[in-house]
mmCIF file of all heavy atoms in Angstrom:
data_model
loop_
_atom_site.group_PDB
_atom_site.id
_atom_site.type_symbol
_atom_site.label_atom_id
_atom_site.label_comp_id
_atom_site.label_asym_id
_atom_site.label_seq_id
_atom_site.Cartn_x
_atom_site.Cartn_y
_atom_site.Cartn_z
ATOM 1 N N GLN A 1371 54.536 79.772 199.351
ATOM 2 C CA GLN A 1371 54.498 81.225 199.330
ATOM 3 C C GLN A 1371 55.752 81.811 199.985
ATOM 4 O O GLN A 1371 56.310 82.808 199.510
ATOM 5 C CB GLN A 1371 53.246 81.727 200.043
ATOM 6 C CG GLN A 1371 53.075 83.250 200.032
ATOM 7 C CD GLN A 1371 52.999 83.824 198.634
ATOM 8 O OE1 GLN A 1371 52.513 83.168 197.707
ATOM 9 N NE2 GLN A 1371 53.481 85.042 198.469
ATOM 10 N N GLN A 1372 56.202 81.195 201.071
ATOM 11 C CA GLN A 1372 57.413 81.657 201.738
ATOM 12 C C GLN A 1372 58.632 81.542 200.827
ATOM 13 O O GLN A 1372 59.480 82.445 200.778
ATOM 14 C CB GLN A 1372 57.638 80.871 203.031
ATOM 15 C CG GLN A 1372 56.638 81.193 204.136
ATOM 16 C CD GLN A 1372 56.738 80.243 205.315
ATOM 17 O OE1 GLN A 1372 57.546 79.304 205.316
ATOM 18 N NE2 GLN A 1372 55.901 80.454 206.319
ATOM 19 N N LYS A 1373 58.709 80.434 200.098
ATOM 20 C CA LYS A 1373 59.825 80.255 199.167
ATOM 21 C C LYS A 1373 59.759 81.270 198.032
ATOM 22 O O LYS A 1373 60.778 81.835 197.626
ATOM 23 C CB LYS A 1373 59.818 78.835 198.599
ATOM 24 C CG LYS A 1373 60.230 77.772 199.597
ATOM 25 C CD LYS A 1373 60.236 76.391 198.961
ATOM 26 C CE LYS A 1373 60.661 75.335 199.973
ATOM 27 N NZ LYS A 1373 60.691 73.966 199.372
ATOM 28 N N ARG A 1374 58.549 81.512 197.546
ATOM 29 C CA ARG A 1374 58.393 82.490 196.467
ATOM 30 C C ARG A 1374 58.820 83.881 196.929
ATOM 31 O O ARG A 1374 59.524 84.601 196.210
ATOM 32 C CB ARG A 1374 56.928 82.511 196.006
ATOM 33 C CG ARG A 1374 56.659 83.443 194.827
ATOM 34 C CD ARG A 1374 55.181 83.450 194.468
ATOM 35 N NE ARG A 1374 54.926 84.321 193.337
ATOM 36 C CZ ARG A 1374 54.941 83.942 192.061
ATOM 37 N NH1 ARG A 1374 55.229 82.681 191.764
ATOM 38 N NH2 ARG A 1374 54.691 84.794 191.093
ATOM 39 N N GLU A 1375 58.409 84.259 198.132
ATOM 40 C CA GLU A 1375 58.784 85.567 198.662
ATOM 41 C C GLU A 1375 60.287 85.660 198.891
ATOM 42 O O GLU A 1375 60.895 86.711 198.650
ATOM 43 C CB GLU A 1375 58.027 85.835 199.962
ATOM 44 C CG GLU A 1375 56.539 86.066 199.750
ATOM 45 C CD GLU A 1375 55.776 86.229 201.060
ATOM 46 O OE1 GLU A 1375 56.421 86.102 202.138
ATOM 47 O OE2 GLU A 1375 54.561 86.475 201.011
ATOM 48 N N ALA A 1376 60.895 84.572 199.356
ATOM 49 C CA ALA A 1376 62.348 84.564 199.550
ATOM 50 C C ALA A 1376 63.078 84.749 198.231
ATOM 51 O O ALA A 1376 64.081 85.478 198.148
ATOM 52 C CB ALA A 1376 62.780 83.244 200.208
ATOM 53 N N ILE A 1377 62.562 84.130 197.173
ATOM 54 C CA ILE A 1377 63.184 84.242 195.849
ATOM 55 C C ILE A 1377 63.054 85.659 195.303
ATOM 56 O O ILE A 1377 64.037 86.252 194.835
ATOM 57 C CB ILE A 1377 62.543 83.229 194.874
ATOM 58 C CG1 ILE A 1377 62.924 81.801 195.268
ATOM 59 C CG2 ILE A 1377 62.984 83.517 193.437
ATOM 60 C CD1 ILE A 1377 62.134 80.732 194.539
ATOM 61 N N THR A 1378 61.855 86.230 195.356
ATOM 62 C CA THR A 1378 61.667 87.568 194.797
ATOM 63 C C THR A 1378 62.418 88.625 195.603
ATOM 64 O O THR A 1378 62.955 89.582 195.036
ATOM 65 C CB THR A 1378 60.170 87.930 194.720
ATOM 66 O OG1 THR A 1378 59.574 87.806 196.022
ATOM 67 C CG2 THR A 1378 59.441 87.026 193.739
ATOM 68 N N THR A 1379 62.493 88.440 196.928
ATOM 69 C CA THR A 1379 63.245 89.387 197.756
ATOM 70 C C THR A 1379 64.736 89.314 197.440
ATOM 71 O O THR A 1379 65.399 90.348 197.271
ATOM 72 C CB THR A 1379 63.016 89.097 199.249
ATOM 73 O OG1 THR A 1379 61.631 89.264 199.559
ATOM 74 C CG2 THR A 1379 63.835 90.043 200.115
ATOM 75 N N ALA A 1380 65.267 88.102 197.362
ATOM 76 C CA ALA A 1380 66.688 87.936 197.043
ATOM 77 C C ALA A 1380 67.001 88.476 195.651
ATOM 78 O O ALA A 1380 68.030 89.128 195.446
ATOM 79 C CB ALA A 1380 67.069 86.459 197.131
ATOM 80 N N ALA A 1381 66.113 88.230 194.707
ATOM 81 C CA ALA A 1381 66.342 88.705 193.334
ATOM 82 C C ALA A 1381 66.359 90.223 193.283
ATOM 83 O O ALA A 1381 67.222 90.828 192.635
ATOM 84 C CB ALA A 1381 65.260 88.157 192.411
ATOM 85 N N THR A 1382 65.420 90.857 193.971
ATOM 86 C CA THR A 1382 65.370 92.322 193.986
ATOM 87 C C THR A 1382 66.660 92.900 194.558
ATOM 88 O O THR A 1382 67.239 93.844 194.000
ATOM 89 C CB THR A 1382 64.167 92.809 194.805
ATOM 90 O OG1 THR A 1382 62.962 92.309 194.220
ATOM 91 C CG2 THR A 1382 64.103 94.333 194.831
ATOM 92 N N GLU A 1383 67.130 92.332 195.662
ATOM 93 C CA GLU A 1383 68.352 92.839 196.297
ATOM 94 C C GLU A 1383 69.568 92.629 195.393
ATOM 95 O O GLU A 1383 70.424 93.523 195.269
ATOM 96 C CB GLU A 1383 68.557 92.138 197.636
ATOM 97 C CG GLU A 1383 67.498 92.503 198.678
ATOM 98 C CD GLU A 1383 67.622 91.688 199.954
ATOM 99 O OE1 GLU A 1383 68.451 90.746 199.976
ATOM 100 O OE2 GLU A 1383 66.891 91.995 200.922
ATOM 101 N N LEU A 1384 69.643 91.482 194.747
ATOM 102 C CA LEU A 1384 70.788 91.204 193.875
ATOM 103 C C LEU A 1384 70.738 92.031 192.598
ATOM 104 O O LEU A 1384 71.777 92.510 192.123
ATOM 105 C CB LEU A 1384 70.843 89.715 193.543
ATOM 106 C CG LEU A 1384 71.289 88.806 194.692
ATOM 107 C CD1 LEU A 1384 71.071 87.344 194.344
ATOM 108 C CD2 LEU A 1384 72.756 89.044 195.007
ATOM 109 N N PHE A 1385 69.552 92.203 192.021
ATOM 110 C CA PHE A 1385 69.430 93.047 190.836
ATOM 111 C C PHE A 1385 69.892 94.466 191.146
ATOM 112 O O PHE A 1385 70.543 95.114 190.325
ATOM 113 C CB PHE A 1385 67.985 93.076 190.336
ATOM 114 C CG PHE A 1385 67.510 91.805 189.688
ATOM 115 C CD1 PHE A 1385 66.151 91.494 189.648
ATOM 116 C CD2 PHE A 1385 68.390 90.909 189.124
ATOM 117 C CE1 PHE A 1385 65.702 90.332 189.050
ATOM 118 C CE2 PHE A 1385 67.961 89.735 188.530
ATOM 119 C CZ PHE A 1385 66.603 89.450 188.496
ATOM 120 N N LEU A 1386 69.543 94.934 192.323
ATOM 121 C CA LEU A 1386 69.902 96.290 192.717
ATOM 122 C C LEU A 1386 71.404 96.399 192.995
ATOM 123 O O LEU A 1386 72.044 97.394 192.639
ATOM 124 C CB LEU A 1386 69.116 96.682 193.966
ATOM 125 C CG LEU A 1386 69.129 98.155 194.387
ATOM 126 C CD1 LEU A 1386 68.559 99.036 193.287
ATOM 127 C CD2 LEU A 1386 68.350 98.338 195.673
ATOM 128 N N ASP A 1387 71.971 95.359 193.605
ATOM 129 C CA ASP A 1387 73.375 95.400 193.999
ATOM 130 C C ASP A 1387 74.318 95.073 192.829
ATOM 131 O O ASP A 1387 75.328 95.751 192.621
ATOM 132 C CB ASP A 1387 73.610 94.413 195.144
ATOM 133 C CG ASP A 1387 75.037 94.441 195.653
ATOM 134 O OD1 ASP A 1387 75.562 95.549 195.874
ATOM 135 O OD2 ASP A 1387 75.626 93.360 195.831
ATOM 136 N N ARG A 1388 73.980 94.034 192.047
ATOM 137 C CA ARG A 1388 74.868 93.546 191.001
ATOM 138 C C ARG A 1388 74.407 93.885 189.586
ATOM 139 O O ARG A 1388 75.144 93.668 188.628
ATOM 140 C CB ARG A 1388 75.007 92.021 191.105
ATOM 141 C CG ARG A 1388 75.648 91.533 192.392
ATOM 142 C CD ARG A 1388 75.495 90.043 192.567
ATOM 143 N NE ARG A 1388 76.219 89.555 193.723
ATOM 144 C CZ ARG A 1388 77.340 88.821 193.648
ATOM 145 N NH1 ARG A 1388 77.840 88.495 192.469
ATOM 146 N NH2 ARG A 1388 77.952 88.423 194.747
ATOM 147 N N GLY A 1389 73.184 94.392 189.484
ATOM 148 C CA GLY A 1389 72.633 94.641 188.162
ATOM 149 C C GLY A 1389 71.883 93.426 187.641
ATOM 150 O O GLY A 1389 72.156 92.290 188.050
ATOM 151 N N TYR A 1390 70.964 93.683 186.739
ATOM 152 C CA TYR A 1390 70.162 92.592 186.166
ATOM 153 C C TYR A 1390 71.050 91.623 185.403
ATOM 154 O O TYR A 1390 70.958 90.405 185.565
ATOM 155 C CB TYR A 1390 69.102 93.197 185.254
ATOM 156 C CG TYR A 1390 68.172 92.202 184.596
ATOM 157 C CD1 TYR A 1390 67.099 91.668 185.297
ATOM 158 C CD2 TYR A 1390 68.359 91.798 183.275
ATOM 159 C CE1 TYR A 1390 66.232 90.766 184.702
ATOM 160 C CE2 TYR A 1390 67.502 90.898 182.669
ATOM 161 C CZ TYR A 1390 66.437 90.380 183.384
ATOM 162 O OH TYR A 1390 65.589 89.490 182.797
ATOM 163 N N ASP A 1391 71.943 92.153 184.578
ATOM 164 C CA ASP A 1391 72.802 91.309 183.757
ATOM 165 C C ASP A 1391 73.813 90.549 184.602
ATOM 166 O O ASP A 1391 74.189 89.417 184.270
ATOM 167 C CB ASP A 1391 73.528 92.174 182.720
ATOM 168 C CG ASP A 1391 74.243 91.333 181.666
ATOM 169 O OD1 ASP A 1391 73.692 90.290 181.275
ATOM 170 O OD2 ASP A 1391 75.354 91.724 181.243
ATOM 171 N N GLY A 1392 74.254 91.148 185.707
ATOM 172 C CA GLY A 1392 75.285 90.527 186.527
ATOM 173 C C GLY A 1392 74.765 89.552 187.564
ATOM 174 O O GLY A 1392 75.538 89.075 188.398
ATOM 175 N N THR A 1393 73.489 89.265 187.528
ATOM 176 C CA THR A 1393 72.882 88.354 188.505
ATOM 177 C C THR A 1393 72.388 87.094 187.807
ATOM 178 O O THR A 1393 71.610 87.169 186.858
ATOM 179 C CB THR A 1393 71.703 89.023 189.227
ATOM 180 O OG1 THR A 1393 72.161 90.204 189.890
ATOM 181 C CG2 THR A 1393 71.083 88.086 190.243
ATOM 182 N N SER A 1394 72.843 85.953 188.263
ATOM 183 C CA SER A 1394 72.401 84.683 187.687
ATOM 184 C C SER A 1394 71.293 84.079 188.528
ATOM 185 O O SER A 1394 71.160 84.377 189.723
ATOM 186 C CB SER A 1394 73.569 83.692 187.617
ATOM 187 O OG SER A 1394 73.978 83.325 188.927
ATOM 188 N N LEU A 1395 70.511 83.210 187.914
ATOM 189 C CA LEU A 1395 69.465 82.520 188.666
ATOM 190 C C LEU A 1395 70.062 81.616 189.745
ATOM 191 O O LEU A 1395 69.486 81.463 190.828
ATOM 192 C CB LEU A 1395 68.594 81.701 187.709
ATOM 193 C CG LEU A 1395 67.636 82.504 186.813
ATOM 194 C CD1 LEU A 1395 66.901 81.576 185.853
ATOM 195 C CD2 LEU A 1395 66.644 83.300 187.639
ATOM 196 N N ALA A 1396 71.229 81.048 189.459
ATOM 197 C CA ALA A 1396 71.883 80.198 190.457
ATOM 198 C C ALA A 1396 72.252 81.017 191.695
ATOM 199 O O ALA A 1396 72.094 80.550 192.834
ATOM 200 C CB ALA A 1396 73.127 79.556 189.848
ATOM 201 N N ARG A 1397 72.736 82.247 191.474
ATOM 202 C CA ARG A 1397 73.091 83.112 192.600
ATOM 203 C C ARG A 1397 71.846 83.505 193.389
ATOM 204 O O ARG A 1397 71.883 83.595 194.618
ATOM 205 C CB ARG A 1397 73.797 84.362 192.067
ATOM 206 C CG ARG A 1397 74.245 85.325 193.164
ATOM 207 C CD ARG A 1397 75.399 84.740 193.955
ATOM 208 N NE ARG A 1397 75.772 85.574 195.088
ATOM 209 C CZ ARG A 1397 75.235 85.513 196.292
ATOM 210 N NH1 ARG A 1397 74.257 84.634 196.527
ATOM 211 N NH2 ARG A 1397 75.639 86.290 197.266
ATOM 212 N N ILE A 1398 70.745 83.730 192.700
ATOM 213 C CA ILE A 1398 69.494 84.074 193.378
ATOM 214 C C ILE A 1398 69.016 82.902 194.232
ATOM 215 O O ILE A 1398 68.591 83.087 195.378
ATOM 216 C CB ILE A 1398 68.419 84.466 192.346
ATOM 217 C CG1 ILE A 1398 68.802 85.782 191.655
ATOM 218 C CG2 ILE A 1398 67.047 84.604 193.014
ATOM 219 C CD1 ILE A 1398 67.927 86.133 190.471
ATOM 220 N N ALA A 1399 69.110 81.685 193.699
ATOM 221 C CA ALA A 1399 68.696 80.504 194.464
ATOM 222 C C ALA A 1399 69.520 80.375 195.742
ATOM 223 O O ALA A 1399 68.989 80.101 196.823
ATOM 224 C CB ALA A 1399 68.840 79.252 193.605
ATOM 225 N N GLU A 1400 70.837 80.604 195.614
ATOM 226 C CA GLU A 1400 71.713 80.519 196.783
ATOM 227 C C GLU A 1400 71.329 81.568 197.833
ATOM 228 O O GLU A 1400 71.245 81.257 199.027
ATOM 229 C CB GLU A 1400 73.162 80.720 196.349
ATOM 230 C CG GLU A 1400 74.162 80.655 197.487
ATOM 231 C CD GLU A 1400 75.579 80.925 197.014
ATOM 232 O OE1 GLU A 1400 75.805 81.025 195.796
ATOM 233 O OE2 GLU A 1400 76.473 81.062 197.882
ATOM 234 N N ALA A 1401 71.099 82.802 197.390
ATOM 235 C CA ALA A 1401 70.763 83.880 198.323
ATOM 236 C C ALA A 1401 69.401 83.655 198.977
ATOM 237 O O ALA A 1401 69.179 84.046 200.124
ATOM 238 C CB ALA A 1401 70.775 85.221 197.599
ATOM 239 N N ALA A 1402 68.472 83.032 198.242
ATOM 240 C CA ALA A 1402 67.125 82.785 198.761
ATOM 241 C C ALA A 1402 67.061 81.551 199.649
ATOM 242 O O ALA A 1402 66.059 81.321 200.336
ATOM 243 C CB ALA A 1402 66.141 82.635 197.607
ATOM 244 N N GLY A 1403 68.119 80.734 199.616
ATOM 245 C CA GLY A 1403 68.118 79.523 200.435
ATOM 246 C C GLY A 1403 67.239 78.428 199.865
ATOM 247 O O GLY A 1403 66.670 77.634 200.626
ATOM 248 N N VAL A 1404 67.109 78.385 198.539
ATOM 249 C CA VAL A 1404 66.318 77.333 197.889
ATOM 250 C C VAL A 1404 67.201 76.628 196.867
ATOM 251 O O VAL A 1404 68.241 77.154 196.455
ATOM 252 C CB VAL A 1404 65.057 77.900 197.208
ATOM 253 C CG1 VAL A 1404 64.173 78.618 198.209
ATOM 254 C CG2 VAL A 1404 65.430 78.831 196.052
ATOM 255 N N SER A 1405 66.782 75.467 196.444
ATOM 256 C CA SER A 1405 67.543 74.735 195.434
ATOM 257 C C SER A 1405 67.324 75.365 194.058
ATOM 258 O O SER A 1405 66.323 76.055 193.821
ATOM 259 C CB SER A 1405 67.101 73.271 195.391
ATOM 260 O OG SER A 1405 65.766 73.172 194.917
ATOM 261 N N LYS A 1406 68.282 75.129 193.176
ATOM 262 C CA LYS A 1406 68.138 75.657 191.813
ATOM 263 C C LYS A 1406 66.923 75.044 191.121
ATOM 264 O O LYS A 1406 66.242 75.718 190.351
ATOM 265 C CB LYS A 1406 69.416 75.402 191.009
ATOM 266 C CG LYS A 1406 70.573 76.297 191.418
ATOM 267 C CD LYS A 1406 71.779 76.141 190.501
ATOM 268 C CE LYS A 1406 72.524 74.851 190.811
ATOM 269 N NZ LYS A 1406 73.790 74.772 190.055
ATOM 270 N N SER A 1407 66.653 73.780 191.400
ATOM 271 C CA SER A 1407 65.497 73.140 190.772
ATOM 272 C C SER A 1407 64.193 73.790 191.231
ATOM 273 O O SER A 1407 63.258 73.958 190.433
ATOM 274 C CB SER A 1407 65.477 71.642 191.077
ATOM 275 O OG SER A 1407 65.368 71.422 192.488
ATOM 276 N N THR A 1408 64.141 74.176 192.510
ATOM 277 C CA THR A 1408 62.947 74.857 193.030
ATOM 278 C C THR A 1408 62.753 76.189 192.319
ATOM 279 O O THR A 1408 61.644 76.540 191.905
ATOM 280 C CB THR A 1408 63.073 75.092 194.544
ATOM 281 O OG1 THR A 1408 63.087 73.833 195.208
ATOM 282 C CG2 THR A 1408 61.909 75.920 195.065
ATOM 283 N N LEU A 1409 63.843 76.947 192.172
ATOM 284 C CA LEU A 1409 63.737 78.245 191.510
ATOM 285 C C LEU A 1409 63.353 78.088 190.045
ATOM 286 O O LEU A 1409 62.456 78.786 189.548
ATOM 287 C CB LEU A 1409 65.062 79.004 191.631
ATOM 288 C CG LEU A 1409 65.028 80.455 191.128
ATOM 289 C CD1 LEU A 1409 65.950 81.331 191.966
ATOM 290 C CD2 LEU A 1409 65.452 80.549 189.665
ATOM 291 N N PHE A 1410 64.027 77.183 189.332
ATOM 292 C CA PHE A 1410 63.754 77.021 187.898
ATOM 293 C C PHE A 1410 62.341 76.494 187.649
ATOM 294 O O PHE A 1410 61.747 76.775 186.606
ATOM 295 C CB PHE A 1410 64.787 76.091 187.257
ATOM 296 C CG PHE A 1410 66.086 76.758 186.948
ATOM 297 C CD1 PHE A 1410 67.195 76.565 187.759
ATOM 298 C CD2 PHE A 1410 66.219 77.598 185.842
ATOM 299 C CE1 PHE A 1410 68.397 77.183 187.490
ATOM 300 C CE2 PHE A 1410 67.425 78.222 185.554
ATOM 301 C CZ PHE A 1410 68.527 78.021 186.380
ATOM 302 N N LYS A 1411 61.820 75.739 188.596
ATOM 303 C CA LYS A 1411 60.457 75.238 188.446
ATOM 304 C C LYS A 1411 59.458 76.387 188.455
ATOM 305 O O LYS A 1411 58.463 76.374 187.720
ATOM 306 C CB LYS A 1411 60.143 74.252 189.570
ATOM 307 C CG LYS A 1411 58.740 73.658 189.492
ATOM 308 C CD LYS A 1411 58.515 72.661 190.624
ATOM 309 C CE LYS A 1411 57.111 72.077 190.563
ATOM 310 N NZ LYS A 1411 56.878 71.110 191.684
ATOM 311 N N ARG A 1412 59.726 77.398 189.293
ATOM 312 C CA ARG A 1412 58.825 78.542 189.410
ATOM 313 C C ARG A 1412 59.145 79.628 188.377
ATOM 314 O O ARG A 1412 58.241 80.254 187.833
ATOM 315 C CB ARG A 1412 58.914 79.139 190.819
ATOM 316 C CG ARG A 1412 58.284 78.271 191.890
ATOM 317 C CD ARG A 1412 58.674 78.729 193.289
ATOM 318 N NE ARG A 1412 57.908 78.046 194.326
ATOM 319 C CZ ARG A 1412 58.135 76.804 194.719
ATOM 320 N NH1 ARG A 1412 59.109 76.107 194.154
ATOM 321 N NH2 ARG A 1412 57.392 76.245 195.671
ATOM 322 N N PHE A 1413 60.430 79.853 188.153
ATOM 323 C CA PHE A 1413 60.858 80.927 187.246
ATOM 324 C C PHE A 1413 61.946 80.397 186.319
ATOM 325 O O PHE A 1413 63.138 80.432 186.669
ATOM 326 C CB PHE A 1413 61.385 82.114 188.052
ATOM 327 C CG PHE A 1413 60.449 82.612 189.112
ATOM 328 C CD1 PHE A 1413 60.700 82.366 190.465
ATOM 329 C CD2 PHE A 1413 59.297 83.312 188.766
ATOM 330 C CE1 PHE A 1413 59.838 82.825 191.442
ATOM 331 C CE2 PHE A 1413 58.426 83.767 189.747
ATOM 332 C CZ PHE A 1413 58.695 83.520 191.082
ATOM 333 N N PRO A 1414 61.570 79.920 185.158
ATOM 334 C CA PRO A 1414 62.566 79.317 184.253
ATOM 335 C C PRO A 1414 63.551 80.320 183.666
ATOM 336 O O PRO A 1414 64.618 79.927 183.196
ATOM 337 C CB PRO A 1414 61.704 78.687 183.155
ATOM 338 C CG PRO A 1414 60.401 79.387 183.223
ATOM 339 C CD PRO A 1414 60.201 79.765 184.652
ATOM 340 N N THR A 1415 63.223 81.613 183.698
ATOM 341 C CA THR A 1415 64.115 82.633 183.166
ATOM 342 C C THR A 1415 64.150 83.838 184.105
ATOM 343 O O THR A 1415 63.247 84.033 184.918
ATOM 344 C CB THR A 1415 63.657 83.116 181.770
ATOM 345 O OG1 THR A 1415 62.395 83.789 181.910
ATOM 346 C CG2 THR A 1415 63.525 81.952 180.801
ATOM 347 N N LYS A 1416 65.186 84.661 183.943
ATOM 348 C CA LYS A 1416 65.250 85.895 184.730
ATOM 349 C C LYS A 1416 64.110 86.827 184.361
ATOM 350 O O LYS A 1416 63.579 87.542 185.214
ATOM 351 C CB LYS A 1416 66.588 86.605 184.499
ATOM 352 C CG LYS A 1416 67.670 86.205 185.445
ATOM 353 C CD LYS A 1416 68.818 87.201 185.478
ATOM 354 C CE LYS A 1416 69.530 87.300 184.150
ATOM 355 N NZ LYS A 1416 70.747 88.156 184.262
ATOM 356 N N ALA A 1417 63.744 86.829 183.087
ATOM 357 C CA ALA A 1417 62.644 87.689 182.653
ATOM 358 C C ALA A 1417 61.344 87.302 183.352
ATOM 359 O O ALA A 1417 60.565 88.167 183.768
ATOM 360 C CB ALA A 1417 62.470 87.605 181.136
#
């Protein structure tokens, strides 16, 4: 749950700062402090 909250919080901040199109899942994983595999396992797409 902590990892999920970190991902959604980081994504919200990046979407707001860089735009939806300008934000990659890899950048969200980095900002959330989780591995890309962890993020893709939970959210395979930005949508």
Side-chain angles (χ1 to χ4, degrees):
Q1371 182 59 31
Q1372 290 170 359
K1373 288 181 180 181
R1374 183 182 181 91
E1375 290 176 357
I1377 291 169
T1378 56
T1379 298
T1382 300
E1383 292 174 353
L1384 287 170
F1385 288 156
L1386 192 60
D1387 183 47
R1388 297 168 174 252
Y1390 181 80
D1391 191 37
T1393 301
S1394 67
L1395 287 176
R1397 181 70 185 87
I1398 293 171
E1400 180 183 353
V1404 301
S1405 67
K1406 287 187 284 187
S1407 62
T1408 295
L1409 187 146
F1410 280 103
K1411 181 179 179 181
R1412 289 167 171 77
F1413 307 107
T1415 66
K1416 270 198 296 187

